[in-house]
Amino acid sequence: MIYFDNAATTYPKPNQVIGSMTRAMQIYGANPGRAGHKLSMETAKALFLSRQKCADFFHADPENTCFTLNCTHALNYAIKGISHKYCHIITSDIEHNAVIRPVHALTKNSSCTYSLFSVSKNDDETLRNIERLITPRTCAVVCTAASNVTGQLLPYKRIGELCRRRNLCFILDTAQACGLVPITLDDNINIICAAGHKGLYGPMGTGIMITDGKYPLGTLIEGGTGSASSDIEQPSFLPDRFESGTINTPGAIALGAGVEFVVKKGIDKIYEHEMKLCETFRERLEGNRKIILYDDKIGENRVPVVSFNIEGMNSSDGAALLSSNGFYLRGGLHCAFLAHKKLGTIETGTIRFAPAVFNTTAEIYEFTNFLNKLSKK
Amino acid sequence: MKSELIRMKSVTQANRAQLFLAQRRIKASVERITSPQGGCGFGIRVNGDTAKICAMLAEINIKCGKDGNTRR
C-alpha cells in the first residue's frame, strides 16, 4: 500500500505523536482545568505545554491559542464569531466548503452578505480583485492559504497587508499550508485556523484557532470551562471562551508532539522534499497523453498537491482503480466545488496526488510506472 | 514568609504565569480556587513580594488585582 492522500490527513503519523498520544491516555487521564487534584493539574500542565508549542509555531500568545476539533470547527468559530448584523464578508472563488458553507449560512439567518473574489494566476490581479469588492460594510476577508485541489498558494501576506490597511479582519484557512509554509500572525493575519492532523502531523480530531486578540469574537458554543463558574455569561477570555466542555486532551497533547516533529524536521526541508516528489511525479508523466494534469491553470506559488485525471475515466473510478492496485488517493470534488468549477472539473472531479514527509522517490517511481503502463493498455 | 495565592483568569493563564516565573527562578504552584466571588478558577501560590511578582507578570499581560484577587 502506498498512501498519497495526505491532503485529507497525513499518514503515517510520526512515532513521537503516537507515543505522546499513548502516554497521554496512560498518564494524563484526568480532566484538565476542572479539579484541583494532582492528576488534573499534571494533565493541565501537559496540555499547556502543547498549547505553548502550537502558539510559538504561529508566533502567538498561548492564551489566544484555542484547541478545536479540526480546521472546519476553527473556521466556524472565526467566521460566525466575527460576523455581525449587516456584515459583508469577502472570500475567494476556490474555497473549501469549510469556508464557503459557514459564510453562506450566515446570509440565511441575518443580513450578512458575501462576495467572491477571483483568484488569478497573477497575484497583483488577485489583490485588485479583492480591493474592488471592499465596501463600507465589509468586516472581514476570509480565504484559504492554499487550494486543497490545485495546491495554488494565495498571496496571503499581501492580503493581510491590504486588510490591515483597510482595517478589516483577516481570517486565514491554513488547512493545506501549515507545516509547509511558515505562516504566522506576523503576516498581518488576525485569525489563523489550522488543521492539527495534516501538515502538523497530529491526530485526527485536532485543530487550532489562533487569534491576535484584535477582534472580539462571539461564541457558537457555551458551557463549562472550569473558570468563572459563578457567572452565567460565557467567559470573555481565551482560550476558555472557545473551549467549553472537555476537550480532546490526548489529541491536543499529541498535536504538540506533531508540531515539535515539524519544527525539528524544518518546514523548509519538508516543503522541499514534498515539492521534489511532485516534480518527479510530473516529470515521469510527461509525454503520457492519457494523464491530464491541471498545473497550467494555476500560478507558480504552490504547495505539494497535484490534481490529475486518467483520460476516459471520472475521478472516482480512477481513484477506485488505483486503490485496487494499492495506491491510495482521493478522487472527487474534495469538498471544494468552487475550485472544481473554476478548474472546469465540476463534472468529473479530479484525483489528488498529495505526498507527505514519509513518502519516497521510490514510491513515486512505482506509482508513475503503474500509470504509464496503464496508459499503454 | 507567608505564601499568597494570586487568582488567575484560567488554568492556562496560571500555567503560563508559573512557567514565566520559573524561568526567573521564582517558584510558584498552580492551585484550584473556589470563591463566592469568582466561582471556580485557578491561581498561583507564591512566596515573596506579591507586588513585585505582579509587576513581573504584567510584562506578559497578566494582571493581578482587578482581574485577579490576591489572598492568603
Side-chain angles (χ1 to χ4, degrees):
Chain A
M1 181 273 279
I2 301 179
Y3 182 83
F4 290 129
D5 193 15
N6 294 284
T9 196
T10 47
Y11 176 81
K13 302 298 182 194
N15 286 336
Q16 299 92 309
V17 172
I18 297 165
S20 173
M21 183 118 179
T22 308
R23 272 196 307 282
M25 297 284 284
Q26 290 167 334
I27 299 170
Y28 302 118
N31 203 327
R34 296 297 190 269
H37 57 77
K38 198 177 169 206
L39 193 58
S40 176
M41 291 298 199
E42 283 174 353
T43 306
K45 184 71 181 269
L47 188 65
F48 173 76
L49 293 175
S50 174
R51 196 186 300 276
Q52 178 85 61
K53 282 174 199 163
C54 296
D56 289 347
F57 189 78
F58 290 102
H59 297 187
D61 182 327
E63 283 172 74
N64 287 340
T65 302
C66 308
F67 289 119
T68 60
L69 297 175
N70 45 54
C71 193
T72 298
H73 190 199
L75 282 161
N76 270 269
Y77 271 148
I79 293 166
K80 292 172 181 168
I82 195 72
S83 70
H84 52 76
K85 216 177 174 185
Y86 307 120
C87 173
H88 171 245
I89 293 174
I90 297 174
T91 185
S92 89
D93 64 351
I94 61 164
E95 291 305 313
H96 188 279
N97 287 343
V99 169
I100 196 63
R101 282 183 174 167
V103 167
H104 181 71
L106 280 174
T107 65
K108 289 188 174 174
N109 302 317
S110 70
S111 304
C112 288
T113 55
Y114 68 92
S115 309
L116 301 182
F117 70 85
S118 173
V119 176
S120 164
K121 282 168 87 167
N122 178 299
D123 287 349
D124 292 337
E125 200 179 311
T126 301
L127 264 291
R128 280 195 297 274
N129 292 343
I130 298 172
E131 196 144 23
R132 71 167 67 103
L133 293 174
I134 298 173
T135 74
R137 277 176 52 188
T138 305
C139 64
V141 174
V142 49
C143 66
T144 187
S147 166
N148 69 315
V149 176
T150 62
Q152 177 168 9
L153 201 56
L154 271 67
Y156 65 88
K157 287 187 187 182
R158 294 179 64 190
I159 300 172
E161 174 60 28
L162 169 68
C163 289
R164 191 189 58 76
R165 236 181 323 115
R166 303 294 297 265
N167 207 23
L168 301 173
C169 177
F170 181 34
I171 301 166
L172 191 66
D173 168 8
T174 69
Q176 297 302 328
C178 64
L180 289 163
V181 181
I183 296 169
T184 70
L185 287 180
D186 301 337
D187 300 324
N188 288 308
I189 304 160
N190 300 108
I191 306 174
I192 293 176
C193 299
H197 61 103
K198 296 185 181 185
L200 299 181
Y201 291 88
M204 284 188 270
T206 60
I208 330 171
M209 179 181 74
I210 292 147
T211 90
D212 65 355
K214 188 176 171 190
Y215 292 92
L217 298 174
T219 53
L220 283 186
I221 295 169
E222 296 83 22
T225 57
S227 55
S229 310
S230 60
D231 194 343
I232 197 166
E233 298 290 341
Q234 183 74 358
S236 59
F237 50 86
L238 275 58
D240 296 29
R241 185 166 178 77
F242 299 103
E243 289 185 1
S244 284
T246 302
I247 71 160
N248 173 8
T249 305
I253 290 172
L255 173 55
V259 168
E260 199 169 56
F261 167 81
V262 170
V263 169
K264 276 190 184 157
K265 207 93 182 159
I267 286 187
D268 292 355
K269 288 205 171 122
I270 294 173
Y271 179 81
E272 203 178 304
H273 170 72
E274 294 181 22
M275 288 302 278
K276 186 90 201 308
L277 296 178
C278 288
E279 206 180 299
T280 306
F281 175 74
R282 288 188 192 97
E283 276 171 12
R284 293 189 45 88
L285 293 173
E286 241 173 54
N288 184 334
R289 290 185 183 174
K290 288 194 175 174
I291 299 295
I292 307 154
L293 294 170
Y294 298 92
D295 282 354
D296 58 327
K297 304 209 174 179
I298 63 168
E300 280 178 7
N301 297 326
R302 57 183 67 170
V303 295
V305 169
V306 182
S307 256
F308 71 97
N309 267 319
I310 302 166
E311 197 182 67
M313 287 182 113
N314 77 40
S315 60
S316 296
D317 292 343
L321 173 74
L322 295 176
S323 172
S324 61
N325 284 279
F327 302 105
Y328 294 173
L329 293 84
R330 178 171 168 190
L333 298 182
H334 313 100
C335 298
F337 76 95
L338 283 176
H340 281 282
K341 246 170 131 175
K342 183 151 184 154
L343 204 59
T345 50
I346 192 75
E347 301 292 333
T348 57
T350 57
I351 304 169
R352 185 175 63 184
F353 168 76
V357 71
F358 295 116
N359 286 117
T360 63
T361 308
E363 288 175 336
I364 309 298
Y365 270 63
E366 199 175 328
F367 183 42
T368 49
N369 282 346
F370 175 81
L371 288 173
N372 286 332
K373 269 186 201 162
L374 184 76
S375 301
K376 281 178 190 161
K377 281 181 185 169
Chain B
M1 193 174 279
K2 280 179 185 170
S3 69
E4 290 200 52
L5 191 60
I6 305 172
R7 191 178 181 101
M8 296 282 119
K9 281 181 177 176
S10 63
V11 69
T12 306
Q13 190 175 73
N15 274 302
R16 184 168 158 242
Q18 185 196 35
L19 185 70
F20 176 79
L21 293 172
Q23 285 162 350
R24 279 145 194 83
R25 293 167 191 243
I26 297 170
K27 207 175 164 193
S29 58
V30 178
E31 283 187 21
R32 177 85 169 150
I33 299 173
T34 307
S35 74
Q37 295 85 18
C40 300
F42 289 84
I44 51 165
R45 185 167 290 282
V46 291
N47 287 303
D49 184 343
T50 311
K52 196 176 160 190
I53 288 170
C54 285
M56 290 171 81
L57 291 174
E59 287 174 32
I60 54 166
N61 292 322
I62 294 178
K63 292 178 193 165
C64 306
K66 274 187 184 177
D67 293 322
N69 294 323
T70 305
R71 64 176 194 173
R72 288 193 178 159

